[in-house]
């Protein structure tokens, strides 16, 4: 008899609540859980592929070892023994920095994945720990704390009467930055909010799914968000629309900001940003006119050059408009599995998460961002001889060959390693297929997990502990178990928040998670015990109320930190035309993939096999080519052949393509079946952010000709 049990999806970070139908140890169906108070029955097409993802013929169920150029099955235990011996020899000869660990997006889908990866690297003593966060949106994570941080939390979407999304399309991406649209049935959620009076502004060079619903869509020229934001701040300050009392009490540096935006009059800013001047002014008034709600960005502007400057202006706009939870209000985003920090009506002092005092890479003067090395030094750390050269790489649920800038260089770096281990369910992934060992992991419905990685979106104290729905088919382990087994064999430790992980006998996942998130509001084991019928547990009593600020520690935001006002002035003086590359390529998400995941799932392939180059119909005529023709797209770094598609929603002069398709072995002949890698067009050493290392992966200057 089929049985239906509650769990949650881990195809992506949204963690939608699901009802899972299990028949004879196999998952036969998944559907949204209509009773869940947050998700209310929502799923997307990717999540609905979980049965196929688990049981389809493409899934790797036995680990692989490369022998004489071809893969052979290998028992997990034997593979771990051999890998540990190789790591040991590399460390003995070259030291621990010669081993690097990279946690890709699927390290984040296992609740113990990133925590164990960090602990493994620390136990080993290597500074070379990387995660996809530094490829993704490092400026908002690592550079904005230096202006100060409001301890009471930012306004959440739930209470907003105005929202401003810049280069973020959560209806497809299910990614809502702090204060942005949460990923729970995002389209319905946004429509409901609009029905209730929300005012929506979207800045995006194309009319994205959210832009189509906006009151004001600003089709900003790619990479020119700083001009747009400076113009909006100019209007707000010159019309006195900022929150004067808040600024008075909590903000330093307003005069410097005012000076820096002085030249960005609406006319100048609108011309540089390529938007209508009246629309820019209207957006400024609409945003400042709201009582609650924040401006937030997605990946677009972070990748479009000037990411740090854009995030500075986004922070400034929120700060001068005082978009924070005040004393006596419920704090936003309560979080259950995250260490408890005081929620006070107060600015925590500015703090830099990079630079002096952080481990330095050997490359381009870049340092650790918080706990990790910026991804854009990884290829060079592998290729550059000398002390600390990376010779072994463990990739956990990631695909650097298609996801990192400069594909040829990354491929060369990967191929030159002494040891590449990939933990992946897809032996055909562009990176896994080049590995010495592919370790086959358990998939999500075969695991216990907690909702620690999605709780950054929950507006209520919502917590989940799911049981494994089915047994794993064979000789498989979870990512954290593999790392524990390697550390055990190497005699190194796994330092966790609650102390050292026991290294004699492998702990249960519950015990591991309890140690990993020690200091949080409710321990995972307690949430598990509180769970009834697999449902979410909501700890209403734990929703923090913002306490009064400490009168003895009156912190203030510092809008001059990092000399950002001067950087804005320098940006204003430095417009660089690129006549050889008149088009701008912008990045986007594919609705039917999660980065490169899903390339081998039939129902997703049935929707689309390639990543088209979307262009305005008038632009197709300019190239000239027809819808469906192939075009050759060149940048200063490389070229790709892509399939052109007409799209009315594109800004003229802009071409939009998803990343993580294609691969170094896919030529123009394979573009219809496999797509093309946009990372062949960019280089992390040619154009990068001096703090985060983020390279230009959107707003890429290109030329386009018929192929
Ligand atoms: N040009 C350009 N480049 C970009 C971007 C862009 O917008 N433009 N976006 C960037 C961003 S935001 C990110 S986050 C990175 C992504 O960078 P990565 O995380 O390195 O790339 P993914 O393709 O997500 O890799 C996920 C891997 O996990 C594997 N996988 C799938 N399911 C499982 C599982 O259950 N367990 C395990 N262990 N593995 C599994 C997949 O087969 C795949 O190989 O790419 C970045 N690169
Ligand atoms: N279906 C699906 N969902 C995903 C992923 C996926 O691959 N597929 N990837 C996941 C990952 S790893 C991440 S990090 C998130 C990202 O989540 P989002 O950041 O919401 O990603 P996108 O949907 O690509 O939205 C970025 C938008 O920025 C716009 N843009 C590009 N360049 C610029 C610019 O210079 N300025 C401005 N203002 N806008 C610009 C693009 O047109 C696009 O609409 O999505 C996640 N969710
Ligand atoms: S949005 Fe993400 S978590 Fe929700 S069903 Fe789709 S893939 Fe799964
Ligand atoms: Mo990402």
């Amino acid at each position: 008899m089929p049985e239906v049990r509650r769990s949650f999806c881990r195809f992506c970070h949204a963690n939608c609540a699901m009802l899972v139908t299990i028949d004879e140890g196999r998952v036969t169906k998944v559907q949204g859980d209509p009773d869940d108070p947050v998700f209310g029955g929502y799923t997307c097409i990717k999540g609905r592929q979980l049965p196929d993802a688990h049981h389809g013929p493409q899934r790797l169920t036995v680990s692989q070892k490369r022998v004489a150029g071809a893969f052979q099955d290998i028992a997990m235990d034997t593979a771990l023994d051999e890998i540990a011996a190789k790591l040991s020899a590399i460390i003995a000869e070259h030291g621990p920095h010669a081993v690097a660990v990279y946690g890709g997006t699927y390290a984040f889908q296992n609740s113990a994945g990133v925590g164990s990866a960090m602990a493994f690297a620390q136990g080993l003593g290597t500074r070379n720990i990387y995660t996809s966060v530094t490829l993704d949106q490092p400026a908002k994570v690592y550079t904005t704390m230096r202006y100060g941080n409001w301890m009471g939390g930012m306004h959440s979407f739930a209470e907003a009467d105005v929202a401003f999304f810049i280069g973020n399309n959560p209806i497809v991406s299910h990614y809502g930055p702090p204060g942005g649209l949460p990923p729970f049935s995002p389209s319905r959620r946004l429509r409901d909010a609009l029905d209730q009076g929300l005012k929506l502004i979207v800045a995006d060079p194309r009319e994205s799914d959210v832009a189509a619903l906006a009151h004001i869509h600003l089709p900003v020229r790619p990479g020119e968000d700083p001009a747009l934001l400076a113009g909006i701040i100019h209007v707000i300050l010159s019309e006195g629309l900022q929150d004067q009392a808040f600024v008075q009490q909590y903000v330093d540096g307003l005069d410097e900001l005012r000076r820096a935006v002085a030249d960005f009059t609406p006319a100048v800013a609108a011309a540089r940003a390529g938007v209508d001047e009246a629309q820019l002014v209207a957006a400024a008034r609409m945003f400042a006119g709201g009582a609650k709600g924040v401006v937030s960005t997605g990946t677009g502007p972070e990748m479009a050059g000037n990411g740090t400057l854009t995030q500075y202006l986004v922070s400034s706009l929120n700060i001068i408009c005082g978009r924070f939870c005040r004393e006596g209000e419920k704090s936003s985003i309560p979080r259950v599995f995250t260490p408890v920090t005081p929620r006070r009506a107060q600015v925590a002092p500015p703090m830099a998460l990079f630079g002096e005092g952080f481990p330095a890479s050997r490359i381009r003067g870049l340092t650790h961002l918080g706990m990790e090395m910026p991804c854009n030094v990884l290829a060079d750390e592998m290729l550059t001889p000398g002390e600390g050269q990376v010779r072994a790489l463990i990739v956990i649920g990631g695909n650097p060959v298609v996801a990192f800038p400069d594909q040829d260089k990354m491929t060369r770096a990967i191929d030159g390693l002494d040891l590449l281990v990939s933990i992946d369910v897809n032996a055909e992934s562009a990176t896994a297929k080049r590995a010495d060992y592919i370790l086959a992991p358990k998939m999500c419905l075969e695991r216990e997990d907690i909702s620690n990685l999605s709780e950054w979106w929950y507006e209520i104290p919502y917590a989940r502990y799911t049981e494994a729905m089915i047994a794993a088919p064979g000789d498989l382990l979870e990512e954290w178990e593999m790392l524990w087994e390697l550390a055990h064999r190497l005699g190194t430790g796994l330092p966790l928040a609650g102390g050292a992980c026991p290294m004699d006998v492998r702990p249960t996942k519950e015990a591991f998670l309890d140690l990993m998130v020690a200091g949080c509001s409710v321990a995972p084991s307690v949430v598990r015990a509180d769970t009834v019928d697999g449902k979410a547990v909501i700890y209403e009593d734990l929703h923090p109320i913002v306490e009064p600020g400490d009168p003895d520690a009156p912190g203030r935001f510092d809008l001059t930190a990092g000399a950002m006002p001067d950087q804005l002035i320098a940006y204003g003086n430095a417009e660089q035309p690129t006549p050889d590359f008149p088009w701008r390529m912008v990045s986007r998400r594919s609705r039917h993939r999660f980065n490169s995941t899903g390339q081998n799932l039939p129902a997703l392939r049935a929707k689309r096999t390639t990543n088209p180059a979307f262009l305005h119909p008038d632009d197709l005529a300019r190239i000239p080519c027809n819808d469906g023709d192939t075009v050759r797209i060149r940048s200063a770094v490389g070229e790709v052949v892509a399939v052109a598609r007409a799209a009315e929603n594109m800004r003229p002069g802009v071409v939009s393509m998803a990343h993580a398709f294609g691969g170094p072995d896919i030529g123009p002949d394979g573009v219809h079946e496999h797509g093309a890698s946009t990372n062949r067009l960019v280089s992390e050493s040619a154009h990068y952010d001096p703090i985060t290392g983020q390279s230009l992966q959107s707003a890429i200057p290109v030329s386009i000709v018929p192929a």
Side-chain angles (χ1 to χ4, degrees):
M1 265 299 278
E3 180 197 4
V4 178
R5 295 176 67 192
R6 284 196 176 79
S7 186
F8 57 87
C9 181
R10 282 146 277 166
F11 198 119
C12 93
H13 51 266
N15 288 178
C16 294
M18 273 183 168
L19 298 175
V20 181
T21 307
I22 302 149
D23 197 3
E24 296 184 352
R26 288 168 74 87
V27 176
T28 53
K29 183 175 165 188
V30 293
Q31 60 195 115
D33 179 356
D35 297 330
D36 185 86
V38 164
F39 292 91
Y42 177 77
T43 57
C44 82
I45 185 169
K46 304 187 304 305
R48 292 192 293 271
Q49 307 313 312
L50 283 183
D52 260 7
H54 282 70
H55 304 300
Q58 80 294 332
R59 181 192 172 179
L60 188 65
T61 51
V62 185
S63 297
Q64 302 292 307
K65 174 186 183 179
R66 181 182 303 282
V67 181
F71 281 125
Q72 288 179 1
D73 289 358
I74 183 170
M76 179 68 76
D77 235 25
T78 316
L80 291 165
D81 286 344
E82 293 184 12
I83 294 166
K86 290 185 176 168
L87 290 174
S88 208
I90 289 169
I91 293 168
E93 194 178 341
H94 304 290
H97 299 309
V99 179
V101 180
Y102 166 60
T105 47
Y106 267 84
F108 289 88
Q109 311 315 326
N110 184 325
S111 53
V114 174
S116 61
M118 292 282 173
F120 179 76
Q122 276 169 28
L124 225 53
T126 175
R127 64 175 174 251
N128 281 305
I129 169 79
Y130 300 79
T131 78
S132 49
V133 170
T134 66
L135 273 180
D136 179 322
Q137 294 159 84
K140 65 169 80 57
V141 181
Y142 296 111
T143 69
T144 55
M145 298 277 270
R146 66 176 168 168
Y147 317 121
N149 180 35
W150 185 255
M151 294 168 73
M154 296 178 72
H155 288 162
S156 65
F157 184 80
E159 53 183 3
D161 51 20
V162 62
F164 186 0
F165 302 156
I166 305 186
N168 172 218
N169 189 30
I171 290 179
V172 166
S173 68
H174 301 90
Y175 169 77
L181 180 65
F184 330 124
S185 194
S187 177
R188 191 172 61 200
R189 182 82 195 271
L190 185 55
R191 285 165 204 273
D192 287 351
L194 291 166
D195 285 347
Q196 285 156 26
L198 177 80
K199 293 276 187 283
L200 178 64
I201 310 159
V202 173
D204 198 305
R206 62 189 184 109
E207 192 188 64
S208 64
D209 302 70
V210 286
L213 299 174
H215 294 93
I216 300 178
H217 170 216
L218 301 158
V220 59
R221 184 175 286 149
E224 303 297 357
D225 301 280
L228 178 71
L229 283 156
I232 286 175
I233 294 174
H234 179 106
V235 173
I236 290 175
L237 293 181
S238 53
E239 297 186 5
L241 304 176
Q242 69 273 28
D243 182 337
Q244 318 253 9
F246 186 82
V247 169
Q248 178 88 34
Q249 194 174 353
Y250 296 114
V251 183
D252 285 335
L254 188 71
D255 290 344
E256 287 82 350
L257 177 65
R258 196 189 292 276
R259 188 171 48 82
V261 300
D263 288 346
F264 290 93
T265 59
V268 169
R272 172 94 181 245
V275 301
D276 180 70
E277 182 184 339
Q279 292 277 81
L280 184 152
V281 174
R285 292 179 183 152
M286 183 180 279
F287 183 72
K292 287 190 173 182
V294 303
V295 50
S296 56
T297 62
T299 47
E302 282 246 5
M303 294 180 178
N306 300 311
T308 303
L309 180 59
T310 303
Q311 285 309 134
Y312 163 70
L313 293 166
V314 164
S315 294
S316 299
L317 187 47
N318 284 322
I319 291 168
I320 65 173
C321 292
R323 296 304 161 87
F324 304 105
C325 305
R326 306 299 171 87
E327 181 181 335
E329 293 178 344
K330 271 188 178 175
S331 181
S332 53
I333 315 298
R335 302 197 292 274
V336 174
F337 293 123
T338 309
V340 182
T341 52
R343 305 284 179 112
R344 288 206 202 105
Q346 181 180 336
V347 182
M351 181 167 87
L353 292 171
F354 53 85
E356 220 176 301
F358 288 84
S361 80
R362 301 178 302 149
I363 313 299
R364 294 188 284 282
L366 294 165
T367 68
H368 258 206
L369 296 168
M371 306 280 283
E372 54 194 277
M373 205 60 109
C375 277
N376 288 348
V377 303
L378 179 55
D380 277 321
E381 288 283 8
M382 294 192 265
L383 289 168
T384 310
E387 190 279 322
Q389 179 178 12
V390 170
R391 292 159 196 271
L393 174 64
I394 302 175
V395 175
I396 307 164
N399 199 350
V401 168
V402 290
F404 281 51
D406 200 339
Q407 183 160 82
D408 285 343
K409 182 175 177 179
M410 177 51 84
T411 308
R412 239 184 316 123
I414 290 251
D415 289 348
L417 286 168
D418 294 345
L419 177 67
L420 174 65
V421 178
S422 173
I423 305 179
D424 205 309
V425 294
N426 178 11
E428 297 293 315
S429 108
T431 303
K433 73 203 265 195
R434 314 185 95 83
D436 299 298
Y437 294 87
I438 311 176
L439 296 177
K442 292 188 183 177
M443 288 191 81
C444 65
L445 297 176
E446 298 151 3
R447 310 190 305 245
E448 292 163 29
D449 268 312
I450 57 172
S451 50
N452 56 333
L453 296 159
S454 48
E455 69 177 8
W456 296 88
W457 286 285
Y458 299 135
E459 294 151 320
I460 55 173
Y462 171 106
R464 304 220 43 170
Y465 193 118
T466 182
E467 303 300 328
M469 297 287 106
I470 52 173
D475 184 16
L476 311 175
L477 289 177
E478 293 191 32
E479 295 83 353
W480 73 272
E481 294 173 316
M482 298 174 193
L483 295 176
W484 187 95
E485 292 292 339
L486 288 175
H488 175 72
R489 285 163 172 74
L490 290 165
T492 57
L494 295 177
L496 296 170
C501 181
M503 294 308 298
D504 41 356
V505 178
R506 197 170 78 218
T508 61
K509 188 159 192 183
E510 180 190 281
F512 186 86
L513 289 171
D514 272 357
L515 271 177
M516 191 185 90
V517 300
C520 68
S521 301
V522 191
S525 55
V526 176
V527 174
R528 186 183 204 178
D530 290 345
T531 299
V532 178
D533 289 340
K535 289 183 189 161
V537 190
I538 294 157
Y539 295 97
E540 247 342 308
D541 297 351
L542 294 180
H543 200 140
I545 305 290
V546 180
E547 294 165 27
D550 176 354
D552 297 329
R556 289 171 74 84
F557 288 106
D558 177 8
L559 297 183
T560 66
M564 294 312 287
D566 290 340
Q567 290 201 27
L568 178 60
I569 293 168
Y571 158 86
N573 294 333
E575 203 169 355
Q576 281 164 2
T578 46
D580 292 347
F581 301 107
W583 305 76
R584 291 291 175 272
M585 176 181 284
V586 294
S587 158
R588 67 180 296 139
R589 310 287 127 182
S590 161
R591 193 183 288 274
H592 311 109
R593 301 286 187 279
F594 189 64
N595 303 318
S596 68
T597 299
Q599 299 290 8
N600 54 5
L601 294 175
L604 298 181
R605 286 188 68 79
K607 293 286 179 186
R608 195 169 267 164
T609 50
T610 191
N611 53 336
F614 292 99
L615 287 150
H616 193 274
D618 295 347
D619 282 349
L620 290 186
R622 270 212 298 154
I623 289 173
C625 71
N626 293 313
D627 181 75
D629 287 354
T630 51
V631 288
R632 190 173 299 279
I633 303 179
R634 279 203 189 98
S635 73
V637 174
E639 69 170 48
V640 295
V641 168
V643 180
R645 279 275 168 228
E648 293 280 353
N649 66 347
M650 290 304 304
R651 180 188 168 101
V654 178
V655 49
S656 162
M657 273 179 88
H659 66 293
F661 281 69
D665 315 322
I666 309 289
D669 295 348
V671 64
H672 288 281
E673 276 303 293
H674 304 286
S677 278
T678 54
N679 282 322
R680 301 186 68 75
L681 299 171
V682 292
S683 150
E684 82 282 32
S685 54
H687 191 151
Y688 63 93
D689 185 284
I691 295 172
T692 63
Q694 173 76 53
S695 79
L696 191 75
Q697 283 174 305
S698 194
I700 308 161
V702 294
S703 65
I704 309 179
V705 294

